[in-house]
Amino acid sequence: MSFRTENKNAFRKIVDLHTTVERMEGDGRHAVNVHLGIYCDEIELEGAVVEVGLKTAFVSVEAEGLEIDQGSKYGEMTFPAKIGIDHTVMETLSRAIEDSAAVEATIQGSLSPLKAGVEVSAKGQLSGKQTAGYTLSNSRVETRSFQFVEAIGEDRWKLHPEKELLHGKFLQGQTLCETTVAQGRPNRRGVAVSVNVRKRDVEVILVTDTRVVKFPKTNREKMIALLIAKSLSRASASSRAESILLSSSESYDEE
């Protein structure tokens, strides 16, 4: 079985999606490999130039004649029954120093390997028994890793930005998921991968507007409407649809 892929990117400067379906070992088993970059950039919308950035986006996979192996999803977040945390606790140490020279050296810092605060009570000549108190602070070390691509429900993946907006290559040919042939072994088999964004997660800034009828720079809804009208969505500019389809990639076998 060989798959022919068609990639559709309405705004390639913003979202660049490419997929391939690769045969694996095992009867009818295939890997869905994805290249995906999302960037902040300027695009032209009917005579106006706007800068577009996405706060987050969603990748969806729909299979036809195939079934997605739920245990093969890339970016699946799982939690163990118990989580161990490495931590170190240091306590307060107090020591008596009888030697006057040693007390003086402690005050000067030469006997302070822990670089802690030293409190010494000394009046007049240093003599007799003195006490130096070392206070060591409590410390706790906990390591957490940041996950840019997270598998969520309904065969979808959520993209998280490192800063405020998505910008960079998020998938570099990784296997997003694996598929097996559906029951009945249907003749038509394929997968469709799409990138969607919620309207509330779109940042748009008007750069230039050469249209006869201009819109105010603060009119975000009109700029979003233009974005929807020029996207892959079937929605019109006046649509109230929450999600905007920006890219899609369809792979079907040629049998």
Side-chain angles (χ1 to χ4, degrees):
M1 182 190 304
S2 59
F3 286 80
R4 180 177 58 86
T5 301
E6 182 181 3
N7 302 305
K8 299 178 182 179
N9 293 293
F11 306 101
R12 191 169 178 179
K13 294 173 66 178
I14 306 299
V15 179
D16 193 13
L17 171 69
H18 299 271
T19 67
T20 59
V21 179
E22 179 184 2
R23 182 189 296 272
M24 303 177 63
E25 294 183 2
D27 184 24
R29 195 170 186 88
H30 289 78
V32 180
N33 304 323
V34 178
H35 289 266
L36 175 61
I38 297 183
Y39 310 97
C40 303
D41 210 335
E42 295 180 357
I43 60 174
E44 184 177 350
L45 294 176
E46 298 182 3
V49 177
V50 298
E51 184 175 299
V52 180
L54 308 181
K55 296 178 182 178
T56 187
F58 297 87
V59 180
S60 301
V61 176
E62 296 181 5
E64 180 180 349
L66 300 171
E67 294 182 353
I68 297 175
D69 182 353
Q70 298 299 313
S72 67
K73 291 183 178 180
Y74 175 82
E76 193 80 65
M77 184 179 291
T78 58
F79 295 94
K82 295 182 179 180
I83 300 177
I85 300 176
D86 295 331
H87 64 277
T88 303
V89 178
M90 296 183 178
E91 300 176 350
T92 301
L93 169 65
S94 189
R95 60 178 300 184
I97 303 175
E98 297 183 357
D99 187 87
S100 299
V103 175
E104 184 176 4
T106 301
I107 297 174
Q108 296 173 355
S110 60
L111 293 183
S112 182
L114 299 175
K115 297 182 179 179
V118 178
E119 296 180 357
V120 177
S121 176
K123 296 182 180 180
Q125 297 293 326
L126 293 175
S127 61
K129 183 177 179 180
Q130 304 292 342
T131 300
Y134 296 82
T135 302
L136 308 181
S137 61
N138 295 337
S139 65
R140 173 172 175 157
V141 179
E142 185 174 350
T143 303
R144 294 183 181 271
S145 59
F146 185 80
Q147 190 164 326
F148 292 95
V149 182
E150 177 189 357
I152 58 178
E154 297 183 329
D155 297 329
R156 296 185 304 154
W157 286 257
K158 185 176 182 180
L159 306 184
H160 300 276
E162 183 178 9
K163 296 181 181 179
E164 295 181 358
L165 298 174
L166 299 172
H167 188 77
K169 195 73 175 285
F170 289 87
L171 294 168
Q172 303 187 56
Q174 281 93 343
T175 298
L176 198 63
C177 62
E178 298 175 7
T179 64
T180 57
V181 179
Q183 293 183 354
R185 304 186 70 85
N187 293 328
R188 180 173 169 82
R189 306 169 191 175
V191 293
V193 181
S194 60
V195 178
N196 295 269
V197 62
R198 297 172 300 197
K199 287 198 295 184
R200 66 175 181 267
D201 291 327
V202 179
E203 288 288 332
V204 288
I205 300 175
L206 180 64
V207 179
T208 59
D209 191 356
T210 59
R211 303 183 310 161
V212 176
V213 180
K214 304 180 185 299
F215 48 66
K217 292 185 177 181
T218 57
N219 198 328
R220 178 178 179 275
E221 287 301 318
K222 288 188 177 181
M223 288 188 281
I224 293 291
L226 284 176
L227 189 70
I228 293 175
K230 197 173 180 181
S231 72
L232 299 176
S233 299
R234 296 179 180 179
S236 65
S238 60
S239 173
R240 295 183 179 179
E242 177 62 23
S243 182
I244 306 172
L245 173 61
L246 296 178
S247 294
S248 69
S249 182
E250 299 180 351
S251 302
Y252 289 92
D253 67 68
E254 297 180 337
E255 291 185 350

